[in-house]
Amino acid sequence: MMKSLFTVSVIVPVYNGEKYIRRCLDSLLHQTLENIQIIVVNDASTDNTLSILNEYKKQAENKVTIITLPINKKQGGARNAGLDVAKGEYIGFVDADDFVKLDMYKKLYEKALSDNYDVVDSDYLIHDGERVIGSEVSANLTAKKDIFSNYGRLWTKIFKNHFFNKNDLGIRFPEGLFYEDNYIQFFLAAETKNMGKIPEAFYYYSYNPISTTRLSDNPRYFDRLKTADMAFEDFKKRDDYQKYKEQVDYRIYNLGVYITFLGLVSNHSKIPFNKVSEINNLNKKLNISRNKYFKNSSKKYKLFGFLILNLPYPFVCMLYVRFKLAQLYKNLK
C-alpha cells in the first residue's frame, strides 16, 4: 500500500463563515503535528469567506486545500467533498465556528500510532465566543455495545483513512440534511475494531443558542428523524445487522423517536401532528418494546416509550400543554 502523503487530513466545511473562519484556520495552521493537510470546503458561501480562504492558501500552499461547491450541500455534502481528496493516514473533522488547541492532532496521532488504533477520541470544551462556559468528557469506549450506544462527537476524534477511502470501506455522510453525524455513527461504530482515548480536552465547541437546529418551528429539526430512519433502513442491508440489531435499534429509537418526540414539543409553537405520525411509523418498525436494552432502561423511559407508541396524540398534547404552562409560569416570575 502506498504511504499516505500526510499524517492527518482535517476537513472543515464552511458556509458564510467570514466572522469566525480565521480563528478556526489559525488553530489548524499552527498545529504542532508535522505534515498535516487542511481541507476547507467552501459550501457555496455568499459572503467574503472564499477571499479569506484564498489568503490562507497563499500562506501555506502545501498544507491548505480549498474546494468550492457550486451549490450548498450542507455539512454532509461538504465533508464528503473533503473526504474525496483527503490523503492523510488519519482523518479529522472541525466545524468552521469551532477551534482547537495547537497540540490536538499531534497528541491524537501519537496515541493512534502507539497501539495502531482505528479511532482515537478526546474530550472537549464549550465556548460562547468569548470564554469557556463548560466541558464534556467523552466516554472511554471499549465494548461494542458501548460504542453503538454512545459513539460521541466526530470532531473530538481522528479516524483511520480506511473508514472513508473509496477503495476500502468508503463510508459517506448523507447530503442536504442536518444531523448527518447521527446517520454515519452507526457505520463507523460497526467498523471500529479498537478505540483509544486521551482524557484531555483539545476541541473548543462554540455554543450558539440561535443556531439553525435550535430555532423554533424550524422544519430542519425533523432531519433528526430522517437520518435516524435512513440509518435504520441502510443498516438493515448489512450482513452484520442481526449481530448488532439490539444495540442499533435501541440507539435509533433514542435518536429518531424519543429525542425527536420530546423536541417536537419544546421547539414548536404549534404541534406538527403530521410529524407525530412519521415518528410513530419509525417506532412501529423498530418494535422497541421487545428490545433487551429498552427492557432494562428506566421506568420513566419505558413509560414514555409506551405512551409514544400507544397514545402518541393524547401524549403529545399533554406534554405540549405542560411545556407551555411551564413557560408561562417562568415568564410571570
Side-chain angles (χ1 to χ4, degrees):
M1 182 182 293
M2 184 184 298
K3 182 174 174 59
S4 298
L5 297 178
F6 297 94
T7 49
V8 176
S9 296
V10 183
I11 298 170
V12 184
V14 57
Y15 172 71
N16 289 352
E18 63 181 7
K19 293 181 180 179
Y20 43 74
I21 189 61
R22 291 182 187 276
R23 181 182 64 180
C24 176
L25 292 182
D26 285 341
S27 75
L28 294 174
L29 275 177
H30 296 98
Q31 286 290 303
T32 56
L33 178 67
E34 294 181 4
N35 209 22
I36 188 172
Q37 180 186 26
I38 302 164
I39 304 168
V40 192
V41 185
N42 174 32
D43 195 14
S45 296
T46 57
D47 65 357
N48 198 40
T49 293
L50 184 56
S51 295
I52 295 171
L53 299 185
N54 286 330
E55 289 178 28
Y56 280 84
K57 177 67 175 175
K58 289 178 182 178
Q59 290 179 37
E61 187 79 25
N62 296 328
K63 271 189 179 180
V64 177
T65 299
I66 298 173
I67 300 170
T68 294
L69 301 180
I71 58 171
N72 184 267
K73 291 190 172 185
K74 304 292 185 294
Q75 291 272 84
R79 285 172 171 167
N80 288 343
L83 288 171
D84 288 342
V85 301
K87 298 174 182 177
E89 295 173 57
Y90 284 80
I91 308 293
F93 300 96
V94 174
D95 289 348
D97 55 343
D98 299 337
F99 56 106
V100 301
K101 291 184 179 179
L102 301 187
D103 59 351
M104 174 174 178
Y105 289 105
K106 186 175 192 294
K107 288 189 174 180
L108 292 180
Y109 182 68
E110 287 177 346
K111 178 70 173 180
L113 295 184
S114 71
D115 205 10
N116 194 28
Y117 286 112
D118 281 347
V119 184
V120 179
D121 199 4
S122 59
D123 304 327
Y124 66 97
L125 301 166
I126 303 169
H127 201 272
D128 69 355
E130 296 182 0
R131 65 191 188 282
V132 173
I133 59 174
S135 62
E136 291 289 338
V137 176
S138 300
N140 196 352
L141 304 175
T142 52
K144 199 65 140 180
K145 65 180 179 63
D146 297 328
I147 289 178
F148 275 109
S149 66
N150 188 15
Y151 200 74
R153 306 285 192 171
L154 295 189
W155 28 256
T156 57
K157 300 175 174 65
I158 58 170
F159 304 83
K160 271 188 178 176
N161 183 291
H162 77 263
F163 283 100
F164 307 104
N165 191 310
K166 287 186 175 179
N167 294 322
D168 207 320
L169 297 175
I171 296 173
R172 286 296 184 270
F173 293 87
E175 300 189 0
L177 296 168
F178 288 100
Y179 302 104
E180 74 286 344
D181 292 4
N182 287 356
Y183 172 90
I184 202 172
Q185 66 175 262
F186 295 95
F187 306 93
L188 292 172
E191 301 294 346
T192 297
K193 303 298 188 295
N194 59 355
M195 185 187 296
K197 167 75 192 291
I198 297 179
E200 187 175 345
F202 300 114
Y203 193 99
Y204 290 90
Y205 166 72
S206 295
Y207 174 74
N208 180 6
I210 56 171
S211 69
T212 305
T213 54
R214 294 188 178 96
L215 293 176
S216 180
D217 294 318
N218 178 17
R220 285 292 185 182
Y221 173 78
F222 292 104
D223 284 358
R224 183 195 296 275
L225 172 62
K226 290 180 183 178
T227 53
D229 197 20
M230 286 171 58
F232 178 62
E233 295 298 335
D234 289 347
F235 205 97
K236 283 196 303 182
K237 299 171 186 175
R238 291 174 58 100
D239 293 338
D240 56 1
Y241 171 61
Q242 290 302 320
K243 180 179 179 182
Y244 300 128
K245 183 181 188 309
E246 296 285 314
Q247 299 101 305
V248 169
D249 288 4
Y250 184 62
R251 181 63 174 158
I252 286 173
Y253 171 81
N254 189 61
L255 293 172
V257 178
Y258 182 76
I259 295 176
T260 306
F261 192 91
L262 297 183
L264 173 151
V265 172
S266 59
N267 291 339
H268 294 82
S269 57
K270 294 181 180 179
I271 301 174
F273 286 105
N274 61 317
K275 296 300 179 182
V276 176
S277 177
E278 290 181 24
I279 292 169
N280 226 29
N281 286 339
L282 174 59
N283 200 8
K284 290 175 181 177
K285 286 194 290 185
L286 290 167
N287 195 16
I288 202 66
S289 61
R290 296 184 179 182
N291 186 286
K292 68 179 181 181
Y293 294 101
F294 181 79
K295 289 178 179 179
N296 291 328
S297 62
S298 68
K299 290 181 179 179
K300 181 179 178 181
Y301 195 83
K302 285 187 284 190
L303 174 61
F304 270 52
F306 174 84
L307 293 172
I308 291 170
L309 179 63
N310 295 286
L311 298 167
Y313 298 104
F315 186 44
V316 76
C317 290
M318 183 196 78
L319 289 177
Y320 184 78
V321 170
R322 183 178 178 182
F323 178 75
K324 290 300 180 183
L325 287 174
Q327 280 188 318
L328 179 61
Y329 176 73
K330 183 179 179 180
N331 292 335
L332 290 174
K333 288 180 69 176

